[in-house]
Amino acid sequence: MRVSVIGGSSVSDVVYEQARQVGHLLGTRGHELVCGGRGGVMEAACRGTREAGGHTIGILPGSDRTAANPYVDTPIATGMGNARNPLVVLNGDATIAIDGSTGTLSEIGLALDYGRPVAGLDTHQIEGVEQVDSPQTAVEYVESAGSDS
Amino acid sequence: MRVSVIGGSSVSDVVYEQARQVGHLLGTRGHELVCGGRGGVMEAACRGTREAGGHTIGILPGSDRTAANPYVDTPIATGMGNARNPLVVLNGDATIAIDGSTGTLSEIGLALDYGRPVAGLDTHQIEGVEQVDSPQTAVEYVESAGSDS
Amino acid sequence: MRVSVIGGSSVSDVVYEQARQVGHLLGTRGHELVCGGRGGVMEAACRGTREAGGHTIGILPGSDRTAANPYVDTPIATGMGNARNPLVVLNGDATIAIDGSTGTLSEIGLALDYGRPVAGLDTHQIEGVEQVDSPQTAVEYVESAGSDS
Amino acid sequence: MRVSVIGGSSVSDVVYEQARQVGHLLGTRGHELVCGGRGGVMEAACRGTREAGGHTIGILPGSDRTAANPYVDTPIATGMGNARNPLVVLNGDATIAIDGSTGTLSEIGLALDYGRPVAGLDTHQIEGVEQVDSPQTAVEYVESAGSDS
């Protein structure tokens, strides 16, 4: 399956490591990653997925695809700013949200609106988001919930 | 100023009346309204604004501008589905959220991300949203906060 | 009806005057104008329409609606760059193209793709575009062709 | 480099074969392909690129990424209809246009507007498009022109 990973573009080392583990688990289990293509959680998750041999997609706000973080295999430039947020969650079968601020909140809302299962790790407490406590449980949740959708 | 009003497309009579009062106050005070152009809160707010002689804009998800609710003066078709949500809040100086579900949540996140003041009336409890208890206080909040931005 | 006017953002005085006449005729005959909201043909057409008492809409590439030319009544910011081009022609019942370069060419293609009648005044020679020789014939063409669509 | 291939979604066998050869040459020479993800020229080009071991991206108008043609490796759903056209050409370093109608015309205009070199094979005669007479010369043109941009 393909999983959207969303979260802050500037994060602590602890959050970065969590996101990297999420990405690594996704790659190990044969999933493809899609994210917003930038730094922080997005970079960490791409890095983990790629280290595990998986494929990573970054859907960027800007119009220059070389602005993607170095772990994005397939960058997609949009030049649409925040109007690209819907595409990040639309292009995954399920979403994992890690940390993050208002941009992440908007993507959680959009993911739920598209009917995507959402696992939340140290992120916004939103009805409909499955709060999980580890990278492992995040990935397990989206595997079980996403395969039904 | 121009104010974005967001909220559910299918709402109770009580919520509809609140949204209509918000719209009416906006029109009375010389503000322009922008919304998603559909039913429920969007229709009620447009109706109120128009009844007060104000101008209403509806930014629609579909590609047919005649699908706007009958109180939209200037419908804008996008054919972009939920990817039009950012445009609804980008095009106001401030946002009033009334009721609403996941689509509204995504717009609250986007409004905050764009740095827009957000007043919330019976809606999601989100950090950064000013919770108000009446149409009057909603409009007063966005007037005071929006004029600084 | 609502008519899209497209064309160059930097034009000669002769072209500017033609676009202004197109806009003036549209306003006089009770039509609404939609354009890309910027300078050149867009400004001239808005100016003419407004001078005739008509309503003008500008769908902007940037995210700041105050960047619209001064004759736009209802500016719509998109922050989407050229990805807003489809919205300019989607939001009219017919299109008048005046002068213009590659951006205008893309909008002609999109207008035809949406099935909109297109009148061309000193612009690209494209199959499907009705070449006209005056503001008067441009407006008459879109009135006759657009009312059928 | 990454090359956008644009053209009709329903084409003759002769055109299909040309597009497949273009795709095959791109894959053989180590280029990545991006297209609109649908049938006709898009399918043929993806097929050729994949047969040569290259990677193919399809940026779709609809919101269901499984609607991509079977030769797309990385489908990107947009749900934006024609408003996704800009993304197809923005995401390549150069464009090859083959056959095609109004949608292709809009993409040629957008590609030129973004400053992308465009090779045209049996397509619209547009100033700024390098008219070529074979898949080989199309690929050679974008290689030489695209590497400068």
Side-chain angles (χ1 to χ4, degrees):
Chain A
M1 64 189 288
R2 193 194 276 173
V3 179
S4 305
V5 176
I6 62 177
S9 60
S10 176
V11 296
S12 70
D13 288 355
V14 171
V15 170
Y16 190 95
E17 190 52 36
Q18 277 194 314
R20 191 172 170 180
Q21 287 179 31
V22 165
H24 198 277
L25 282 164
L26 291 173
T28 302
R29 291 165 178 247
H31 305 308
E32 194 174 29
L33 174 78
V34 60
C35 69
R38 299 176 69 210
V41 162
M42 298 170 265
E43 177 186 307
C46 285
R47 189 172 177 175
T49 298
R50 187 185 278 186
E51 285 166 348
H55 181 245
T56 61
I57 302 166
I59 302 181
L60 294 153
S63 58
D64 175 10
R65 73 177 199 270
T66 68
N69 76 59
Y71 307 102
V72 171
D73 294 313
T74 303
I76 304 292
T78 67
M80 290 165 53
N82 282 351
R84 73 74 154 93
N85 290 12
L87 305 189
V88 174
V89 291
L90 178 63
N91 276 285
D93 302 302
T95 295
I96 298 175
I98 307 170
D99 192 82
S101 182
T102 51
T104 302
L105 178 64
S106 76
E107 292 171 327
I108 290 173
L110 289 158
L112 294 171
D113 211 47
Y114 285 127
R116 301 296 194 265
V118 182
L121 193 55
D122 293 328
T123 191
H124 304 272
Q125 303 287 322
I126 301 290
E127 187 187 333
V129 174
E130 177 81 6
Q131 301 293 335
V132 295
D133 58 6
S134 71
Q136 181 81 20
T137 49
V139 173
E140 285 170 356
Y141 175 72
V142 296
E143 281 182 337
S144 63
S147 59
D148 300 335
S149 64
Chain B
M1 64 190 289
R2 194 193 276 172
V3 178
S4 306
V5 176
I6 61 177
S9 59
S10 175
V11 296
S12 70
D13 288 354
V14 172
V15 170
Y16 189 94
E17 192 50 37
Q18 276 194 313
R20 190 172 171 180
Q21 287 180 30
V22 165
H24 198 276
L25 283 165
L26 291 173
T28 302
R29 291 165 179 246
H31 305 308
E32 195 175 28
L33 174 78
V34 60
C35 70
R38 300 175 69 211
V41 163
M42 298 169 266
E43 177 185 307
C46 285
R47 188 172 178 175
T49 297
R50 186 184 277 187
E51 286 166 347
H55 182 246
T56 62
I57 302 166
I59 302 181
L60 294 153
S63 57
D64 175 10
R65 74 177 198 272
T66 68
N69 75 61
Y71 307 101
V72 171
D73 294 311
T74 303
I76 305 291
T78 66
M80 292 166 51
N82 282 350
R84 74 71 155 94
N85 291 11
L87 304 188
V88 175
V89 290
L90 178 63
N91 277 286
D93 301 302
T95 295
I96 298 175
I98 307 170
D99 193 79
S101 181
T102 51
T104 302
L105 178 63
S106 77
E107 292 171 326
I108 290 173
L110 289 158
L112 295 171
D113 211 47
Y114 284 126
R116 300 296 193 265
V118 182
L121 193 55
D122 292 329
T123 189
H124 304 274
Q125 302 288 321
I126 300 291
E127 188 187 332
V129 174
E130 177 80 5
Q131 301 293 336
V132 294
D133 57 9
S134 71
Q136 180 83 18
T137 50
V139 173
E140 285 170 355
Y141 175 71
V142 297
E143 281 182 337
S144 62
S147 59
D148 300 334
S149 65
Chain C
M1 64 189 290
R2 194 195 276 175
V3 179
S4 306
V5 176
I6 61 177
S9 59
S10 174
V11 296
S12 70
D13 288 354
V14 172
V15 170
Y16 189 95
E17 191 51 36
Q18 278 194 314
R20 190 172 170 180
Q21 286 178 31
V22 165
H24 198 276
L25 283 164
L26 291 173
T28 303
R29 291 165 180 247
H31 305 308
E32 193 174 30
L33 175 77
V34 60
C35 70
R38 299 176 68 211
V41 163
M42 297 170 266
E43 177 185 306
C46 286
R47 188 172 177 176
T49 298
R50 187 185 279 186
E51 286 165 347
H55 182 245
T56 61
I57 302 167
I59 302 182
L60 295 153
S63 57
D64 175 10
R65 74 177 197 269
T66 69
N69 75 60
Y71 307 101
V72 171
D73 294 314
T74 303
I76 304 291
T78 66
M80 290 166 53
N82 282 350
R84 75 72 154 93
N85 291 10
L87 305 189
V88 175
V89 291
L90 178 63
N91 277 284
D93 302 303
T95 294
I96 298 175
I98 306 170
D99 193 79
S101 183
T102 50
T104 303
L105 177 64
S106 77
E107 292 171 326
I108 290 173
L110 289 158
L112 294 171
D113 211 48
Y114 285 126
R116 300 296 193 267
V118 182
L121 192 55
D122 293 327
T123 191
H124 304 273
Q125 302 288 321
I126 301 290
E127 188 188 335
V129 174
E130 177 80 5
Q131 301 294 334
V132 295
D133 58 8
S134 70
Q136 181 82 19
T137 50
V139 173
E140 285 169 356
Y141 175 72
V142 298
E143 281 182 338
S144 63
S147 59
D148 299 334
S149 64
Chain D
M1 63 190 288
R2 193 194 276 172
V3 178
S4 306
V5 176
I6 62 178
S9 61
S10 174
V11 296
S12 70
D13 289 354
V14 172
V15 170
Y16 190 94
E17 191 50 37
Q18 277 195 313
R20 189 172 172 181
Q21 286 178 33
V22 165
H24 198 276
L25 283 165
L26 290 174
T28 304
R29 291 165 179 245
H31 305 308
E32 194 174 29
L33 174 77
V34 60
C35 70
R38 300 175 67 212
V41 163
M42 298 170 266
E43 176 185 306
C46 285
R47 188 172 178 176
T49 297
R50 187 185 277 187
E51 286 165 348
H55 181 246
T56 62
I57 302 165
I59 302 181
L60 294 154
S63 57
D64 175 9
R65 72 177 201 271
T66 68
N69 76 60
Y71 307 102
V72 171
D73 294 313
T74 304
I76 305 291
T78 66
M80 290 166 52
N82 282 350
R84 74 72 154 94
N85 291 11
L87 304 188
V88 174
V89 292
L90 178 63
N91 277 285
D93 301 303
T95 295
I96 298 174
I98 306 169
D99 194 80
S101 183
T102 51
T104 302
L105 178 64
S106 77
E107 291 171 327
I108 290 174
L110 289 159
L112 295 171
D113 211 48
Y114 286 127
R116 301 294 195 265
V118 181
L121 193 55
D122 293 328
T123 189
H124 305 273
Q125 303 287 321
I126 301 290
E127 188 189 333
V129 173
E130 177 81 5
Q131 300 293 337
V132 295
D133 58 7
S134 70
Q136 181 81 20
T137 50
V139 173
E140 285 170 355
Y141 175 72
V142 297
E143 282 182 336
S144 63
S147 59
D148 298 335
S149 65

